[in-house]
Amino acid sequence: MFNLMIVKNYDEASDMAFKVMKDYLKPGKVLGLATGSTPLGLYSRMVKDHEENKTSYAEIKTFNLDEYVGLPVTHPESYYAFMYRNLFSALDINEENVHIPSGMAEDLEKECQEYENLISKAHVDIQLLGIGSDGHIGFNEPGTPFDSITHVTDLAESTIKDNCRFFENDITKVPTQAVTQGIGTIMKAKNILLIATGENKAQAVKDMLQGEVSEECPASILQKHDNVTIILDEAAASLLK
Ligand code: PGA
């Protein structure tokens, strides 16, 4: 069941997302976090709220969706670096409560299994999601089984192109694989908050909300989740009937 909100633009979407997220910024909560351009506005609001209202993250746990294979945490485009740069460094979060899969583990299969076990035990209270222009959630590209758990995946050609902007627009610098929570992993979160803005997401949003539930549009599985909040700006909602 969807709780759908359509707002004017990215800033309003970020304000709305913060309102939803605020209820979970409490001791003992487990946040599922995401990277990319979409959550930046929400993260800046979380930082501002921490600074102004002293909201504490000392007893909050976080689990990220994914990480590129082959990028060390010191690489500025690793999702580890992204999370510290845009959120964690400004909060009082406990490093041991932060979980981001490693894309550098010698045994990636073991890394995936261990990550999956940790998430299963933690019970994510709210999972934040963006959506790819191809309908992916996390790095679960079209065709990924709905019951997938944390795994290593190849990035779709369209995702590599979309993410090129973070790698000096040089397609050869974009990693081609990632470790990602599976769709089954994401679906276990108690609540989901998906934000999509911009025209580039309009078709994926339409397929997610009004298309068939199909592995061809990974996000369409959210039609089967009981507690999903979707925040769209007008451009991302422009193809909805
Ligand atoms: P974006 O990516 O927020 O950078 O648009 C979203 C996604 O790929 O899930």
Side-chain angles (χ1 to χ4, degrees):
M1 211 198 323
F2 289 120
N3 174 19
L4 177 63
M5 297 182 227
I6 301 175
V7 296
K8 226 178 172 50
N9 53 34
Y10 180 79
D11 270 350
E12 285 187 15
S14 302
D15 285 339
M16 191 61 81
F18 178 70
K19 268 193 202 152
V20 174
M21 191 54 107
K22 184 84 179 89
D23 276 348
Y24 298 89
L25 306 181
K26 293 177 180 152
K29 291 292 183 197
V30 182
L31 312 181
L33 298 178
T35 52
S37 305
T38 304
L40 287 173
L42 168 61
Y43 290 166
S44 69
R45 284 155 181 77
M46 287 163 71
V47 168
K48 189 161 173 268
D49 166 67
H50 169 71
E51 288 168 358
E52 290 178 357
N53 304 318
K54 308 280 170 273
T55 301
S56 176
Y57 289 73
E59 289 173 56
I60 286 177
K61 282 189 187 161
T62 67
F63 284 87
N64 265 74
L65 281 171
D66 45 21
E67 178 61 282
Y68 289 117
V69 168
L71 291 194
V73 297
T74 49
H75 191 291
E77 294 309 329
S78 72
Y79 286 166
Y80 180 97
F82 174 101
M83 289 308 298
Y84 273 88
R85 184 169 66 242
N86 293 301
L87 186 65
F88 297 147
S89 297
L91 305 178
D92 62 340
I93 198 155
N94 209 326
E95 206 172 338
E96 68 199 30
N97 288 337
V98 168
H99 303 87
I100 303 173
S102 168
M104 291 294 284
E106 222 163 273
D107 186 342
L108 284 172
E109 291 306 321
K110 187 161 158 252
E111 173 69 15
C112 291
Q113 191 58 55
E114 286 174 359
Y115 200 70
E116 184 70 22
N117 291 345
L118 279 176
I119 298 179
S120 296
K121 279 195 211 128
H123 300 293
V124 171
D125 288 292
I126 185 161
Q127 176 65 56
L128 176 64
L129 295 176
I131 183 171
S133 60
D134 63 356
H136 73 211
I137 47 176
F139 270 126
N140 294 286
E141 302 287 14
T144 307
F146 282 152
D147 62 358
S148 51
I149 59 171
T150 304
H151 62 286
V152 176
T153 186
D154 293 333
L155 272 50
E157 215 38 58
S158 60
T159 302
I160 293 175
K161 277 193 203 128
D162 285 347
N163 290 3
C164 210
R165 67 192 195 278
F166 299 115
F167 294 87
E168 300 156 32
N169 283 317
D170 180 350
I171 206 152
T172 65
K173 290 194 173 146
V174 187
T176 56
Q177 286 193 312
V179 173
T180 184
Q181 288 188 32
I183 297 178
T185 323
I186 292 169
M187 287 294 280
K188 277 193 266 174
K190 293 179 207 161
N191 298 276
I192 305 256
L193 170 60
L194 185 144
I195 312 167
T197 60
E199 209 182 334
N200 187 37
K201 304 293 172 69
Q203 185 62 47
V205 163
K206 181 171 185 245
D207 294 343
M208 162 175 72
L209 294 172
Q210 297 178 338
E212 264 174 51
V213 176
S214 151
E215 287 172 0
E216 286 316 300
C217 177
S220 65
I221 190 65
L222 299 178
Q223 293 180 30
K224 302 275 188 202
H225 194 288
D226 287 336
N227 298 297
V228 185
T229 300
I230 310 256
I231 301 174
L232 306 176
D233 72 351
E234 286 173 359
S238 60
L239 295 179
L240 293 179
K241 281 185 228 128

